Amino acid sequence: MIEKEAVWRERCRTLAHERAEKEVRAALHLQPEEPIPFNYRWEHVQRVVQVALWLAERTGADREIVEAAAWLHDIRKGEPNHDKIGAVEAGALLQETDFPPEKIAGVVDAIDRHAGLTRAPGAPPLEPLETAVLWDADKLTKLGVSMIAYQLSTREFDGASLAERRQEMQKFLRTVLSKTVESMNTAPARHLAQVRYRAMASFLDEWESEDKL
């Protein structure tokens, strides 16, 4: 017998997809009938869910809180204080579903505190654990070779040469993403962040060596 999917999961996933599509259509000024060339936000949210559940298995975090928070963490992306207002909307949505009422506050807290690429040096891990896991999962999706591919596809690099693009990525890796790795809350996230950071550095180093021929 196939178990019926929980209403809350379907509602969360549907809203996340709708908001991701709305965001990219607004950013690219697309008409309703025009196809979306690439929906980064939707790709990102799905990856955060995947990584968050992976971390939950390894840390003992509550899977339902972590998954709901991961689906909904960016539903107000692009708006001021998207973490704060997104948390409020997420809580209201879950109250209308079959999501365990006693766990809604945990989802709201995780979304409310997920923003930012780094935390203060030496800061203790975020608590509760579910909030820490969402923060880590969100940031882990910013690390890895796939993110180099994405970043190089953005309008940020319009007009830049290949060498200039590589140099900017190397600078971002050293000045920002190195601190992201140090900011991880959980041991599994810290290990994976280090692996992905080294992969990015190796890729960029190889690219630089080609430029020196």
Side-chain angles (χ1 to χ4, degrees), residues 35-54:
I36 295 173
F38 177 66
N39 193 335
Y40 166 71
R41 183 64 50 206
W42 182 232
E43 296 262 355
H44 167 70
V45 169
Q46 292 179 93
R47 290 290 289 163
V48 172
V49 172
Q50 179 187 32
V51 176
L53 289 174
W54 181 85

Side-chain angles (χ1 to χ4, degrees), residues 104-128:
I104 293 177
V107 176
V108 171
D109 182 72
I111 296 174
D112 183 71
R113 295 196 281 155
H114 84 275
L117 277 174
T118 63
R119 300 188 305 118
L126 291 172
E127 293 181 350

Side-chain angles (χ1 to χ4, degrees), residues 4-22:
K4 184 178 179 181
E5 182 175 60
V7 172
W8 68 263
R9 181 176 292 111
E10 180 183 0
R11 289 282 302 277
C12 290
R13 186 170 54 229
T14 298
L15 180 60
H17 185 265
E18 289 175 352
R19 294 296 171 79
E21 183 169 320
K22 180 180 179 181

